[in-house]
Every structure is written in C-alpha cells, then in structure tokens.
Amino acid sequence: MLFGTPITENIRPRVISHIDLDYFYAQCEEVRNPGLKNRPVVVCVYSGRDSDSGVVSTSNYNARHFGVTSGISIKLAKSKLSRSELDPVFLPVDLDYYRLFSTVAMEIIKAMCDTFEQVGIDECYIDISRASDSNFMKSREIANHIQNKLLSRTNLTCSIGVAPNKLIAKIASNIRKPNAITVVSTPDVMAFMRSCKLEEIPGIGPKKRTRLETLGIRSVNELSEIDLFRLKEVFGYKIASYLQNAANGIDDSPVNPNHQNKQIGNIVTLKHDITNTEDAIPVLMSLCTHVYDILIRREQSYRTVSLILILHNLKQVSASRTLKLLSASLDKLQHIVMVLLVDMIRVHSLSLNEIRRIGIALSDLADHSGQNKITQYFAESTKV
Ligand code: TTP
Ligand code: CA
C-alpha cells in the first residue's frame, strides 16, 4: 500500500467519493415548498407533550446562522430565532417523505458509478478509481457531474469529498458545506490531516477527546506521533489502531456494495410519564416487535442489544448487552431489554417519570446464510 493509498484491482490507486446531502430533512422541506427557501426552517421531533416540547432534528442554513443545530430543544431554537426577522418556520419530521427522496437520490448516484455503498439516509461512498483513471482532476469533474445531475433531477444540493480512501473522503465532504466539492489528492493527504481538528475524525466525540487530552493529545499531529502502546492502554487495541491510522490518513476499507446498516433501531416518544416498570412493558414490547420484524425480514440474527433512554432534561443514558452467540429469538430480546431497563434505573438512580423517549437497537448483526444455523441455535438455547 502506498502511504494512505490503497490499491484497487491490484494495480489501480483508489479514488473514493463520499457524497452527503446538505441539511437533508430541511432541504427536502424546501423542495416541497420552495417558498421556505429564504426563511429559517427547523425540522422538529415533537414529543407531543406541549406545543414546544421536543428536539431539533435539523435546520437549514438560515436557521444555523442563529445557532440552531441538531439536538437542541425546540424551545431553545425558538428563543434563538426570536432575533430573526425572516419569519422562521418549525415543521414536524416527515420520515416517509425524506426516505422517498433519499431512495430517488441514491438511485441516481448508483446509476452513475460502478461501486456504490449507502451508509445512511443521506450519505454514500462510491469508488471512482476506474471512472477517473485514478486521476484527481478527472475525479473532480465526476463529482461536479454528480452534483449537477442530482440538482437537476431532485433539486437537492450535496457536498462531496474526493480522496484516496473512505476516511479522508468522509472528512473532506464535511469540511466545506453546503454544495461544495473538496478534493484531497494523495500528495496532500498528510497536510490535509494535520489541518483537521481532532473532532473532525469520525468516531472522535467529546468523550474520546477528553481521554485523548489526558494523554496530552490535542491535535491530529500529536495523535499521529504518540506511542501506540500508550494509546492502547487507554483505548484498547482496536480503537487505538483506528485512531492512529486515521491521524495518519490511513484507511484501506473498500467501498462495500453489500453493506447494510449495521444496526436496526427504533425510538419512541412517551405520550405520558411512566411511573412503574409495568407501564414500560407495552412500549418496550412494541419497540422489540418493530426491530425484530426488520431483523427477520433481513434474515439476520443479533448479538448486541442496546437500550437508550432520553430524559426530560434531554440527557441520554444507554446500556447494552452482548451475547456470546448470535440469536434470532424475540423472547430473548424482550427479556434482555427488560433486564437492561431495570439495571439502568438502578445504576443511574433514575426515576421512571424522568424518561421522555425510549429507543432500542440491535447490532453485531449476521446474515443467516453465513452461519450454521442448527449449531448456533442449539448452542444458544442451552445457554438460556
Ligand atoms: P446529517 O447529514 O448529520 O445532517 P444534515 O444533512 O441535516 O446537515 P449537513 O448539511 O451538515 O449534512 O444528518 C442527516 C439527517 O439526519 C438530518 O437532515 C436529520 C437527521 N438527523 C437527526 O434527526 N438528528 C440528528 O441529531 C442529526 C445529526 C441528524
Ligand atoms: Ca447531510
């Protein structure tokens, strides 16, 4: 492997694009109603308790200028936008409509490339090594072509990162938004990485940042140079290796056309406070059934079950349990979720009426076709 440049098809240096639709839910709303374009648009997840309770899902750039970002409360967004003379609009999330748009946009991109991997409702990677002849000038033209085609067919803008690997392409697509193309060619990889902030590396959130600071690491450059053994002591082998490779711009994962979301999840807002675990049972059971239906449709099994609780003060607590073996049992899923809830209440000294939203997620998924089902399930059932 050349430095930071995996080889595709044995000889061809890789060129990857990461395509991310801009302010996606809010942009879909602008497309549906172009009159909104000049106003701050805030897409909200309403909890249904009172007219203002809930959180911001996303917002357009007119709203972002006032500090309205994903995750803040609707009340805070309203107070920030009270300074705006542009007549802000607050809309509820319409996921079915955004999903439709996402499908149309992704199909357009897919039809223009050899290898395509969707990784979220509004983002995908494509391998353009062959189409560009591994030439970064040509890659920029391809990215430009994709932007134009998407805009003319859907009215949506996107931002595109082009780089020798997925990691750098992802960072690059996020560096300038909206409607931007950022190309990082192989010779520029190290300079580009050094210009990034630690939190621009995917996977480095506030918690990891703080832990990195305890090791004296405040920049990508310092992360790239720290002794790997020290990093491993704090983060373990897998994460430490990822972090140091990332800081050096190294990632050799290919664009995977068979990728499916690695998680299945669902989250609901409680219409009423719950006061005892009995009240939580119907909500948890319905969440379990929802994710289980998707699991079965995908012909998959799970190993890890996570429970996420979002509290009245918008604080989030979560816990998960990983099984020794894969399972496709609904009973087991329901049992684990109940145990997790009881444990979390005890560990975090929560009272049930603090809970506003509940979510569950299944991860470490595997396809049925890839395993010896009889052995797996037999072993699984003997463990219960
Ligand atoms: P993002 O791509 O993270 O954000 P975005 O498309 O709104 O903005 P950007 O231009 O910076 O890419 O997320 C895609 C969609 O996922 C977003 O439109 C709404 C939804 N979302 C939430 O509902 N809650 C969140 O906290 C985030 C980050 C996103
Ligand atoms: Ca986006």
Side-chain angles (χ1 to χ4, degrees):
M1 193 172 82
L2 286 173
F3 195 58
T5 313
I7 307 293
T8 305
E9 298 164 11
N10 300 326
I11 46 156
R12 204 190 293 277
R14 236 179 225 162
V15 182
I16 308 285
S17 282
H18 178 256
I19 304 168
D20 187 327
L21 302 172
D22 297 322
Y23 62 102
F24 182 52
Y25 293 3
Q27 203 183 175
C28 290
E29 296 294 349
E30 288 181 355
V31 172
R32 169 151 62 185
N33 180 359
L36 299 178
K37 258 198 176 297
N38 298 320
R39 298 166 63 185
V41 176
V42 186
V43 179
C44 306
V45 182
Y46 288 101
S47 69
R49 296 194 163 216
D50 59 61
S51 60
D52 275 0
S53 71
V55 289
V56 171
S57 169
T58 195
S59 58
N60 69 357
Y61 280 79
N62 286 328
R64 289 184 194 189
H65 287 147
F66 288 86
V68 175
T69 52
S70 299
I72 68 169
S73 71
I74 297 170
K75 287 191 178 78
L76 181 57
K78 286 201 167 167
S79 96
K80 284 176 184 282
L81 285 167
S82 61
R83 290 179 285 125
S84 166
E85 286 157 10
L86 294 171
D87 192 15
V89 56
F90 293 79
L91 299 167
V93 165
D94 181 355
L95 209 49
D96 288 342
Y97 169 66
Y98 312 143
R99 282 209 187 101
L100 186 71
F101 247 66
S102 158
T103 310
V104 172
M106 293 299 156
E107 285 302 321
I108 292 169
I109 299 168
K110 204 171 173 179
M112 287 193 281
C113 61
D114 298 331
T115 317
F116 165 95
E117 176 183 355
Q118 186 171 350
V119 287
I121 191 166
D122 73 336
E123 56 179 309
C124 64
Y125 292 99
I126 57 174
D127 187 323
I128 52 169
S129 320
R130 188 204 299 260
S132 66
D133 223 358
S134 300
N135 175 315
F136 282 91
M137 295 273 274
K138 255 194 200 169
S139 304
R140 183 184 283 278
E141 285 166 24
I142 293 171
N144 211 2
H145 181 63
I146 292 171
Q147 268 190 338
N148 291 337
K149 191 104 172 185
L150 261 184
L151 188 63
S152 68
R153 301 269 302 273
T154 64
N155 284 325
L156 291 172
T157 65
C158 65
S159 296
I160 304 184
V162 181
N165 63 43
K166 287 167 88 173
L167 173 87
I168 303 170
K170 165 111 182 156
I171 300 172
S173 72
N174 201 36
I175 241 96
R176 286 187 304 126
K177 271 177 155 290
N179 203 20
I181 296 173
T182 304
V183 178
V184 182
S185 60
T186 308
D188 297 336
V189 163
M190 278 323 291
F192 175 78
M193 286 312 301
R194 296 209 163 118
S195 74
C196 290
K197 297 193 189 90
L198 277 173
E199 54 272 25
E200 281 166 344
I201 293 180
I204 302 190
K207 273 193 201 151
K208 276 209 189 70
R209 239 212 96 113
T210 311
R211 289 168 80 194
L212 285 167
E213 271 176 22
T214 62
L215 288 168
I217 299 170
R218 287 190 170 74
S219 68
V220 172
N221 197 22
E222 285 167 348
L223 179 58
S224 74
E225 286 177 351
I226 189 172
D227 179 38
L228 186 58
F229 288 103
R230 283 191 65 204
L231 210 53
K232 281 178 186 165
E233 275 167 13
V234 177
F235 292 100
Y237 177 81
K238 217 168 145 188
I239 295 175
S241 308
Y242 165 76
L243 290 173
Q244 191 150 68
N245 279 335
N248 284 304
I250 295 171
D251 170 28
D252 64 0
S253 55
V255 173
N256 175 7
N258 301 318
H259 171 100
Q260 280 189 310
N261 285 342
K262 292 191 185 113
Q263 272 202 355
I264 300 173
N266 194 19
I267 191 156
V268 290
T269 302
L270 300 176
K271 287 266 180 261
H272 308 285
D273 282 343
I274 48 173
T275 47
N276 57 57
T277 34
E278 307 281 286
D279 292 345
I281 292 174
V283 181
L284 289 175
M285 296 308 109
S286 127
L287 278 168
C288 287
T289 311
H290 179 93
V291 294
Y292 185 75
D293 281 350
I294 299 173
L295 183 85
I296 295 307
R297 252 185 283 134
R298 286 197 194 171
E299 300 190 1
Q300 290 185 314
S301 311
Y302 61 88
R303 266 191 71 207
T304 300
V305 180
S306 307
L307 181 67
I308 302 113
L309 304 177
I310 297 164
L311 309 180
H312 276 214
N313 58 8
L314 298 178
K315 258 202 187 149
Q316 190 169 314
V317 286
S318 60
S320 50
R321 189 173 152 207
T322 299
L323 300 168
K324 285 220 169 73
L325 293 165
L326 289 161
S327 175
S329 155
L330 177 60
D331 285 351
K332 172 157 283 200
L333 170 62
Q334 292 171 333
H335 174 72
I336 295 172
V337 164
M338 281 310 294
V339 171
L340 284 173
L341 179 70
V342 172
D343 279 359
M344 282 165 80
I345 287 168
R346 187 176 43 80
V347 171
H348 297 279
S349 313
L350 297 176
S351 56
L352 280 155
N353 64 7
E354 284 180 79
I355 302 171
R356 173 65 65 90
R357 306 182 77 205
I358 304 184
I360 65 174
L362 303 180
S363 52
D364 289 329
L365 305 175
D367 294 338
H368 285 178
S369 52
Q371 70 195 49
N372 177 342
K373 276 191 247 175
I374 294 172
T375 327
Q376 291 271 9
Y377 293 120
F378 179 71
E380 174 71 5
S381 61
T382 57
K383 270 186 65 242
V384 180

XYZ file of all heavy atoms in Angstrom, residues 44 50 56 62 75 135 139 186 193 195 199 236 307 326 376:
111
model
N -38.473 19.393 13.365
C -38.509 19.073 14.794
C -39.083 17.688 15.062
O -39.969 17.225 14.355
C -39.415 20.073 15.512
S -38.976 21.786 15.226
N -46.351 19.358 24.986
C -46.984 20.650 24.740
C -46.453 21.131 23.401
O -45.589 20.482 22.802
C -46.737 21.651 25.890
C -45.275 21.912 26.117
O -44.616 22.398 25.175
O -44.772 21.609 27.220
N -34.698 19.517 18.047
C -34.472 19.840 16.636
C -33.799 18.653 15.961
O -32.783 18.151 16.457
C -33.591 21.113 16.519
C -33.149 21.344 15.079
C -34.341 22.314 17.076
N -30.212 29.162 6.978
C -30.779 30.398 7.533
C -30.991 30.265 9.031
O -30.838 31.233 9.774
C -32.129 30.728 6.870
C -31.943 31.243 5.465
O -30.937 31.889 5.170
N -32.887 30.941 4.587
N -37.616 24.684 22.236
C -37.767 25.951 22.979
C -36.533 26.823 22.782
O -36.639 28.022 22.518
C -37.967 25.667 24.468
C -39.341 25.112 24.783
C -39.606 25.098 26.284
C -40.998 24.584 26.579
N -41.146 23.146 26.494
N -7.263 9.580 -11.504
C -6.770 10.941 -11.713
C -7.680 11.905 -10.924
O -8.896 11.902 -11.103
C -6.816 11.207 -13.230
C -6.451 12.625 -13.567
O -6.911 13.569 -12.928
N -5.630 12.781 -14.589
N -11.506 13.202 -11.273
C -12.423 12.890 -10.170
C -13.247 14.104 -9.797
O -14.431 13.990 -9.473
C -11.652 12.433 -8.928
O -10.844 11.360 -9.257
N -3.484 12.396 -3.291
C -2.546 11.615 -2.472
C -1.407 12.457 -1.875
O -1.140 12.348 -0.678
C -1.999 10.434 -3.308
O -3.137 9.765 -3.846
C -1.178 9.480 -2.480
N -4.665 16.126 6.742
C -4.972 15.571 8.063
C -4.486 16.516 9.156
O -5.158 16.716 10.162
C -4.326 14.185 8.249
C -4.980 13.053 7.481
S -6.773 12.938 7.621
C -7.017 12.737 9.377
N -4.306 19.589 9.073
C -5.121 20.812 9.156
C -6.470 20.540 9.837
O -7.219 21.460 10.127
C -5.354 21.379 7.756
O -6.297 20.557 7.080
N -11.758 16.453 16.420
C -13.161 16.039 16.367
C -13.693 15.925 14.938
O -14.826 15.483 14.735
C -14.055 16.957 17.218
C -13.959 18.425 16.913
C -12.842 19.110 17.711
O -11.877 18.419 18.112
O -12.938 20.324 17.917
N -7.624 0.416 24.216
C -7.668 -0.959 23.722
C -7.113 -1.004 22.294
O -7.013 0.026 21.617
N -30.199 -0.432 24.887
C -31.380 0.335 25.308
C -30.924 1.767 25.539
O -29.891 2.003 26.175
C -31.949 -0.261 26.602
C -33.204 0.408 27.150
C -34.395 0.200 26.218
C -33.552 -0.165 28.530
N -24.862 -15.642 18.491
C -25.945 -14.959 17.792
C -27.300 -15.485 18.238
O -27.416 -16.649 18.616
C -25.808 -15.217 16.287
C -24.649 -14.517 15.606
C -24.335 -15.193 14.283
C -24.990 -13.047 15.399
N -25.640 -23.067 15.841
C -25.722 -21.787 16.564
C -26.902 -21.788 17.519
O -26.777 -21.434 18.673
C -25.930 -20.631 15.576
C -24.747 -20.345 14.713
C -23.818 -19.339 15.386
O -24.005 -19.016 16.543
N -22.837 -18.877 14.668
